[in-house]
């Protein structure tokens, strides 16, 4: 980096450390993208299968890569493909990116039947040929994308099949927030061709032990429009610097979680690999903040085959893999066990609300009401948050395994009912990382009004919960502060030493001084910055006698931590030799 590059970098860090975020950076890609005009036409009536069905060869792509589509129409019909990016877009919720073969040009489709499940595994692979290709633009913004397969003739003309995929950030473009998209759970519940990882929607009531991404989705409540889109719309409306990747991407590069300050797990993310769980544990222990916005996460361990196109899930010790750390069964039943609450603070205890049953509500706890995350929300102890508990939910176990004991764990919201308790919690790891778990699949319904009627979501967003999440994210977007600050005065020279955090993303430490014996705001106009340095030591020379307090913040590429404060020190004239 040249001289001017160093100056610019230091100016950016100084802006972050003094709270002048506008100086540190301009609009992020999400803000620029969502300022563009949207197209509500992305919401269209679904065709009755198998009129038109399809899937992609890729669960995610980077800008500039090619998406391969496999489309069938039964009976033969004509169709076109519209590609949308989903987000906020002034409330429209999606933007038309392009069409194949053209927005006013269609093509002929052909029928294709479903092959029989493999006898030994139950796996179904559709085997459709590639019918269409889409080049992801080089300037595409990371996000949820939709390939809308639209019939243009026949009795279901105008109806569609929705095929979702994810565009990642380009390599080296690290966002402040990363959202993990739960494609494993989408596929685990997918019963297309007669088999899923569940008995209830598998032929002969017998689940498969392998499911393939190489087939259309037969959506049964696990669409991203059920548990995820409300979160996405909120994040993009608020303008957070966010990018997206799938479970498979995390599996392939678990260390990539460390390229972000906050990792958000969206929706129903029930099926994880060992590599995913390892990656989250390492990220937390290196200071990465985590937010689990759904429930029943990291419940079943699975493996991948076929370069990530097949999920293996026996769901029992019958898995023939002799390695008990790799068996595809409940994480908590592995040897040694890996309790979900050891990561999230809560875990699934069987809580489930069936369709048509009365709504279940969260209630603000007394501890939660006093928490800074509830500041300015209007929420007080006993306030009811309607219809936020379901369809599945998590809780703090009544018997807490040793690995799950989290000193300082705060239960913010709680539900008690015949189907079992639910808890929304936060705890701080030894690394300083803050971990939030909403404890409910429906929690994000309070963030946005998008409604998928199949799930019974008819409530307006709750501005109190929206403000709660703004407060939560404001904290979760900061690094942990330095571990400690120690000051020693010798005459008018003061030596400041900081306890370094374990976080590899910390670029510098900022140290400030204020006259008086109380804590202070480092951004206040009468506060003096003493140093901005990568070192954990700093020296100050006091020009005037008095009592002073020092503050220190850790600074990463995006933000500065909350400050920590020293004990008060007094300056005095140095002793003269006799």
């Amino acid at each position: 980096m040249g001289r001017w590059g160093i100056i610019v970098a230091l100016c950016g860090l100084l802006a972050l450390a003094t709270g002048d975020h506008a100086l540190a950076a301009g609009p992020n890609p999400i803000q620029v993208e969502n300022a563009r005009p949207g197209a509500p036409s992305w919401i269209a009536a679904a065709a009755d299968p198998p009129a038109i069905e399809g899937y992609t060869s890729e669960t995610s792509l980077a800008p500039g890569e090619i998406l391969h589509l496999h489309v069938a129409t039964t009976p033969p019909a004509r169709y076109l493909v519209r590609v949308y990016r989903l987000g906020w877009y002034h409330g429209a919720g999606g933007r038309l990116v392009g069409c194949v073969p053209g927005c006013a040009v269609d093509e002929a489709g052909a029928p294709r039947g479903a092959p029989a499940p493999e006898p030994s595994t139950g796996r179904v692979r559709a085997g459709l040929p590639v019918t269409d290709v889409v080049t992801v633009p080089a300037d595409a913004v990371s996000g949820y994308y939709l390939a809308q397969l639209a019939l243009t003739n026949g009795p279901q003309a105008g109806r569609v099949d929705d095929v979702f995929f994810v565009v990642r950030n380009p390599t080296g473009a690290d966002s402040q927030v990363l959202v993990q998209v739960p494609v494993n759970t989408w596929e685990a519940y997918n019963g297309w061709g007669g088999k899923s990882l569940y008995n209830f929607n598998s032929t002969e009531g017998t689940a498969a032990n392998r499911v393939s991404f190489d087939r259309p989705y037969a959506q049964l409540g696990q669409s991203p429009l059920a548990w995820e889109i409300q979160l996405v719309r909120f994040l993009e409306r608020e303008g957070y610097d966010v990018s997206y990747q799938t479970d498979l991407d995390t599996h392939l590069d678990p260390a990539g979680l460390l390229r972000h300050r906050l990792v958000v797990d969206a929706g129903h993310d029930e099926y994880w690999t060992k590599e995913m769980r390892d990656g989250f544990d390492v990220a937390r222990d290196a200071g990465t903040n985590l937010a689990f916005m759904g429930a029943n996460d990291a419940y079943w361990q699975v493996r991948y085959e076929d370069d990530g196109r097949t999920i293996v899930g026996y769901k029992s010790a019958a898995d023939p893999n002799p390695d008990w750390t790799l068996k595809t069964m409940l994480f908590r039943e592995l040897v040694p066990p890996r309790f979900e609450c050891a990561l999230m603070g809560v875990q699934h205890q069987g809580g489930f609300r069936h369709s048509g049953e009365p709504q279940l509500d969260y209630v603000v706890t007394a501890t939660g009401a006093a928490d800074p995350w509830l500041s300015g929300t209007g929420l007080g102890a006993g306030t009811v948050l309607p219809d936020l508990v379901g369809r599945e939910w998590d809780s703090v176990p009544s018997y807490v395994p040793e690995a799950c004991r989290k000193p300082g764990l705060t239960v913010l919201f709680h539900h008690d009912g015949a189907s079992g308790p639910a808890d929304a919690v936060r705890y701080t790891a030894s690394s300083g990382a803050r971990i939030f778990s909403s404890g409910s699949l429906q929690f994000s319904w309070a963030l946005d009004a998008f409604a998928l009627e199949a799930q019974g979501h008819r409530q307006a967003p709750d501005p109190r919960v929206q403000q709660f999440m703004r407060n939560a994210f404001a904290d979760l977007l900061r690094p942990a502060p330095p571990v400690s600050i120690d000051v020693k005065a010798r005459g008018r020279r003061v030596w400041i030493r900081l306890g370094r955090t374990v976080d590899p993303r910390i670029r510098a430490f900022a140290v400030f001084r204020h006259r008086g014996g109380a804590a202070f705001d480092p951004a206040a106009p009468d506060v003096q910055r003493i140093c901005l340095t990568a070192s954990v030591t700093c020296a100050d020379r006091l020009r005037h006698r008095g009592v002073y307090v020092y503050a220190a913040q850790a600074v990463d590429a995006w933000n500065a931590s909350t400050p920590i404060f020293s004990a008060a020190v007094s300056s005095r004239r140095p002793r003269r030799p006799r």
Side-chain angles (χ1 to χ4, degrees):
M1 183 185 291
R3 175 173 175 266
W4 287 108
I6 294 172
I7 292 173
V8 169
L10 287 174
C11 287
L13 290 174
L14 176 58
L16 290 170
T18 56
D20 189 357
H21 296 183
L23 175 63
N28 65 54
I30 293 297
Q31 294 168 330
V32 173
E33 172 67 22
N34 279 272
R36 305 175 75 171
S41 56
W42 72 272
I43 303 175
D48 297 324
I52 186 164
E53 296 180 303
Y55 59 94
T56 66
S57 295
E58 300 82 14
T59 57
S60 72
L61 305 90
E65 294 183 344
I66 296 174
L67 179 76
H68 299 85
L69 278 164
H70 309 250
V71 181
T73 58
T74 307
R78 298 189 69 80
Y79 72 96
L80 61 81
V81 181
R82 303 185 188 98
V83 179
Y84 296 88
R85 184 187 180 277
L86 305 186
W88 175 241
Y89 301 105
H90 310 284
R95 181 177 73 84
L96 182 63
V97 175
C99 304
V100 176
C103 291
V105 182
D106 61 9
E107 61 185 302
R112 184 88 174 204
E118 296 174 355
S120 61
T121 67
R123 176 172 50 189
V124 179
R125 289 186 279 203
L128 298 179
V130 174
T131 56
D132 304 273
V133 295
V134 178
T135 300
V136 178
D139 61 350
V141 175
S142 178
Y144 281 69
Y145 282 71
L146 166 64
Q148 187 183 82
L149 316 179
L151 290 164
T152 57
N153 74 334
Q156 297 197 54
R159 291 180 172 264
V160 305
D161 182 37
D162 289 339
V163 180
F164 297 95
F165 63 98
V166 171
V167 172
R168 308 183 301 271
N169 255 7
T171 302
D174 301 336
S175 62
Q176 189 175 21
V177 183
L178 175 69
V179 171
Q180 179 169 280
V181 180
V183 296
N184 287 351
T185 304
W186 302 355
E187 196 59 70
Y189 282 85
N190 181 11
W192 191 91
K195 290 294 183 181
S196 75
L197 291 186
Y198 289 85
N199 295 330
F200 77 91
N201 64 341
S202 293
T203 55
E204 300 176 349
T206 303
N209 58 50
R210 284 167 173 79
V211 290
S212 174
F213 284 103
D214 292 326
R215 57 184 182 147
Y217 282 109
Q219 297 291 358
L220 287 173
Q222 299 308 319
S223 162
L225 304 186
W227 315 118
E228 302 156 52
I229 192 65
Q230 297 85 6
L231 170 67
V232 172
R233 287 164 62 97
F234 177 79
L235 290 171
E236 301 212 353
R237 181 179 59 193
E238 296 293 318
Y240 294 110
D241 177 24
V242 59
S243 63
Y244 302 82
Q245 69 180 34
T246 69
D247 297 322
L248 178 60
D249 298 317
T250 303
H251 167 88
L252 293 173
D253 182 22
L257 301 178
L258 288 168
R259 295 195 290 269
H260 311 270
R261 171 52 55 203
L262 168 63
V263 176
V264 177
D265 197 22
H268 192 183
D269 204 0
E270 187 174 348
Y271 292 82
W272 285 27
T273 64
K274 178 182 184 297
E275 289 80 0
M276 291 171 63
R277 177 62 188 265
D278 290 347
F280 269 77
D281 285 348
V282 169
R284 176 202 56 191
D285 294 345
T288 308
N289 299 320
L290 306 175
F292 296 91
M293 294 301 297
N296 192 210
D297 297 327
Y299 189 63
W300 293 105
Q301 177 164 276
V302 294
R303 298 191 301 273
Y304 289 116
E305 291 180 345
D306 304 328
D307 293 326
R309 298 302 292 171
T310 293
I311 297 173
V312 180
Y314 284 85
K315 291 189 166 182
S316 77
D319 184 339
N321 191 316
D323 187 343
W324 275 82
T325 68
L326 294 176
K327 282 187 179 290
T328 53
M329 55 195 296
L330 292 175
F331 273 95
R332 65 185 77 168
E333 293 180 351
L334 296 172
V335 181
R338 303 189 75 175
F339 297 99
E340 306 96 285
C341 53
L343 174 63
M344 296 179 286
V346 293
Q347 63 186 31
H348 185 57
Q349 302 291 305
F352 184 89
R353 181 176 67 84
H354 294 86
S355 180
E357 292 182 347
Q359 74 177 36
L360 305 176
D361 309 327
Y362 260 144
V363 176
V364 179
T365 66
T367 305
D371 193 90
W373 282 15
L374 274 73
S375 176
T377 64
L379 297 172
T383 301
V384 174
L385 301 175
D387 201 23
L388 289 195
V389 178
R391 161 176 295 185
E392 294 182 290
W393 57 86
D394 302 339
S395 60
V396 177
S398 54
Y399 167 74
V400 183
E402 186 61 36
C404 298
R405 298 184 189 277
K406 307 296 183 186
L409 182 140
T410 300
V411 177
L412 301 163
F413 313 125
H414 178 74
H415 166 79
D416 251 330
S419 298
D423 294 302
V425 305
R426 183 194 64 240
Y427 76 90
T428 300
S430 59
S431 64
R434 280 83 70 206
I435 291 79
F436 169 68
S437 296
S438 81
S440 172
L441 285 183
Q442 292 177 194
F443 189 83
S444 291
W445 287 4
L447 302 181
D448 186 84
F450 185 90
L452 187 66
E453 290 298 322
Q455 297 296 342
H457 176 201
R458 299 179 180 85
Q459 298 231 16
D462 190 328
R464 303 168 301 176
V465 180
Q466 290 174 323
Q467 185 57 46
F468 165 79
M469 285 313 308
R470 293 186 192 102
N471 295 344
F473 283 135
D475 182 30
L476 295 170
L477 293 178
R478 292 175 176 267
V483 174
S484 60
I485 178 171
D486 182 50
V487 293
K488 292 184 179 179
R490 295 187 179 93
R492 292 193 177 178
R493 178 76 68 177
V494 179
W495 299 95
I496 304 103
R497 184 172 184 82
L498 307 177
R500 181 181 292 276
T501 68
V502 298
D503 195 328
R505 288 152 296 197
I506 298 303
R507 295 187 173 186
F509 297 99
V511 178
F512 304 87
R513 181 189 69 212
H514 186 255
R515 192 162 187 166
F520 58 90
D521 180 359
D526 58 343
V527 170
Q528 185 170 356
R529 181 178 60 85
I530 302 305
C531 58
L532 180 68
T533 175
S535 171
V536 294
T537 59
C538 178
D540 184 28
R541 183 174 178 83
L542 299 174
R543 297 182 179 275
H544 305 284
R545 299 182 66 178
V547 177
Y548 296 89
V549 168
Y550 290 82
Q553 293 175 290
V555 184
D556 63 15
W558 307 282
N559 211 338
S561 72
T562 55
I564 60 169
F565 298 94
S566 72
V569 295
S570 299
S571 70
R572 60 185 185 277
R573 295 182 184 278
R575 292 181 179 179
R576 294 181 179 180
R578 294 179 179 178

